[in-house]
Amino acid sequence: MNYQDKVVYQIYPKSFLDTNNDGIGDIPGIITKLDYLKALGVDYVWLSPVNKSPQHDNGYDISDYNDIDPMFGTLDDYKRLIAEAKARDMHIMLDLVLNHTSSDHEWFKKALAGDEYYQDFYIWRDEPNELETYFSKPAWTFSPELGKYYFHLFDTHQPDLNWENENVRNEIYKMVNFWIDLGVGGFRLDVIDLIGKEPDKLITGKGPNFLKYLKELHDNTFQDKLLTVGECWASTTEEAEQMCTDGLTQVFHFEHLIKTNIDGNKWNQKPVDFTEICEVIEKWQNQYSLSQNWVMNNHDMPRLISLWLDDSKRYQSATLLATLFSLLRGTQYIYQGEEFGMANTDLNIIDEYNDVESINAYAKMIANGVSEEEALRKLKLISRDNPRVPLNWNDRSDRGFGSESPWISFSTDRYNCEQDLASEQSIYKYYQKLIEFKKNNYHLIDTKLDKITCDDNIITINKGPLTIVCNMDAVAKANFNGEYGEVIISNYPTNEQELMPYEARVYIK
Ligand code: TEU
Ligand code: CA
């Protein structure tokens, strides 16, 4: 099964819906919205980690893989979530963070206490080398307990596991099988390409043993029984193919989403060039034959309507992007709030930031002489806190999130789900329409592209009887002669000869 006609909805649990007024979204809150997700057309619900965690990286620092953090609920709540999802013919996907644990994990605590068996679960050296974390700091932290440095590619509270140690691998397989037995329907594998790292050789991604570990994980756990998606920031189609042969169902590539980084540095952004985006689309659609997916938003990226288009033209921007990406072949991933057009938030002081990556990057910029104003401007544009603020379910003082004092400030943007659903121009309803079309006509979607072009910022995709036209510009395009058949979906009520700003049309012949 390749799952390409499925829709996956990502939930960032802390910010989804709070039912006990502690400022933190929770599993019971997710259960109350399953009908809403079902009606959208969702098949799989992926939850960012809800395991026990001290939250130094918002749950991507797990201290107990086999339990749920009390802030989100209990294991029984999680079982109920699985059952309630199944009752609606949906599945729950668990976020597996296998590259590192929290420094509060009992393995690490035992290691620090002198237990050599567990010391070998992590990576220790007498001297650090020059490797850096993804969070702008050295990748080695000195442990006064052991008189050595431990290795971590993320925060210092996220020590990397030593995958060379067979005992680590076996513990992981046992844990993954625990969740399979509990009934999860799939896994998202956090930074999976890093497990084969060889720090002494300065190799971090896709080390020499990576594919071997991946196959072993696959063989000992999910095999080909569940939907699995690997997070790999920069994968070529060849690498993706390797990972998806006796490994994963599919991998994220994010190639289209990192095109605006200058020299790979996310803090230096340039305007999007849609010609480049078309090249990425063409490459994956036409040169990659295994299962693939398209992502517009997630908890690590700014909202795409704000980064690429104009969030003040919310309906057109959101529906235009949805039209472009939903009708490509591949599993569609929707990040919470995307379906009703949530935009970036507008944080103006560094104290309002929560995300460790943003806070460290800011400190580094200031240390390098960047002005506070400029550093804040960069954060505002691209910080991971943008998509992580609580969802605006409505316009009440608690935004329908369930608490007036959330763990991170509400968005400065007040557009909300209730307003969207009541609007003549509902983004949610447009998504519904696209998804319904995609599911009912998947045979038309599941083909290579005949052609994709970007002329004067008008993207045109032809495949079989379908033509998708997207005006990526804020200005109208006169004399557009689309002789592509009948318009079946569009984000404008009438479709004239002129293409309107951010207009999207789907034609069928
Ligand atoms: O992200 C992987 C990762 O490499 C990110 O740090 C990425 O470089 C950054 O977000 C780009 O801005 C995953 C999770 O999605 C992220 O939330 C975690 O912080 C990270 O792994 C560590 O588990
Ligand atoms: Ca709560």
Side-chain angles (χ1 to χ4, degrees), residues 12 57 60-61 97 100 134-135 154 158 188 190-191 194 231 233 266-267 298-301 355-357 382 384 388:
Y12 201 63
D57 188 18
Y60 284 91
D61 48 326
V97 187
H100 45 269
Y134 288 95
F135 294 160
F154 295 91
Q158 293 166 295
R188 177 259 188 193
D190 190 61
V191 289
L194 303 182
E231 189 207 24
W233 274 73
K266 70 176 270 182
W267 304 104
N298 67 26
H299 65 294
D300 290 333
M301 326 258 194
D355 167 34
V356 53
E357 182 192 56
I382 199 91
R384 306 198 299 180
R388 296 179 178 189

Side-chain angles (χ1 to χ4, degrees), residues 2-4 6 8 93 187 189 192 227-232 240 243-244 247-253 288 290-294 330-333:
N2 73 16
Y3 304 91
Q4 291 200 117
K6 302 289 181 245
V8 181
M93 276 171 89
F187 295 106
L189 295 95
I192 194 64
L227 167 57
T228 53
V229 55
E231 189 207 24
C232 307
M243 284 182 256
C244 296
L248 304 170
T249 314
Q250 51 186 232
V251 296
F252 292 131
H253 60 80
Y288 188 69
L290 301 181
S291 180
Q292 63 180 279
N293 56 60
W294 291 94
T331 310
Q332 179 175 4
Y333 284 72

Side-chain angles (χ1 to χ4, degrees), residues 18-20 22 24-26 71:
D18 176 18
T19 56
N20 62 347
D22 63 356
I24 298 168
D26 42 53
M71 75 169 75

Side-chain angles (χ1 to χ4, degrees), residues 346-463:
D346 207 3
L347 301 177
N348 291 308
I349 51 170
I350 186 64
D351 293 350
E352 285 189 24
Y353 283 89
N354 166 282
D355 167 34
V356 53
E357 182 192 56
S358 306
I359 293 169
N360 290 357
Y362 178 83
K364 192 170 175 181
M365 285 185 242
I366 298 297
N368 288 339
V370 176
S371 73
E372 279 180 29
E373 199 189 349
E374 175 66 1
L376 279 172
R377 197 189 57 77
K378 287 173 185 280
L379 251 55
K380 205 191 265 194
L381 188 67
I382 199 91
S383 164
R384 306 198 299 180
D385 279 334
N386 277 304
R388 296 179 178 189
V389 298
L391 288 191
N392 291 338
W393 290 108
N394 59 41
D395 197 37
R396 290 199 303 265
S397 53
D398 72 350
R399 312 272 177 116
F401 167 66
S403 159
E404 288 184 9
S405 10
W407 66 280
I408 185 173
S409 329
F410 282 123
S411 181
T412 48
D413 174 26
R414 293 200 74 113
Y415 190 75
N416 59 76
C417 184
E418 195 176 281
Q419 180 182 356
D420 183 74
L421 289 174
S423 164
E424 288 277 295
Q425 296 195 315
S426 163
I427 297 166
Y428 177 97
K429 288 180 187 162
Y430 191 91
Y431 266 76
Q432 250 178 343
K433 204 191 293 177
L434 282 172
I435 293 170
E436 201 192 330
F437 177 79
K438 177 171 182 171
K439 289 193 168 171
N440 291 339
N441 298 281
Y442 198 68
H443 60 287
L444 298 180
I445 306 287
D446 194 21
T447 62
K448 288 187 179 184
L449 309 181
D450 296 324
K451 203 170 165 200
I452 177 168
T453 56
C454 183
D455 274 326
D456 188 24
N457 272 336
I458 302 171
I459 296 179
T460 309
I461 296 177
N462 306 99
K463 50 179 189 177

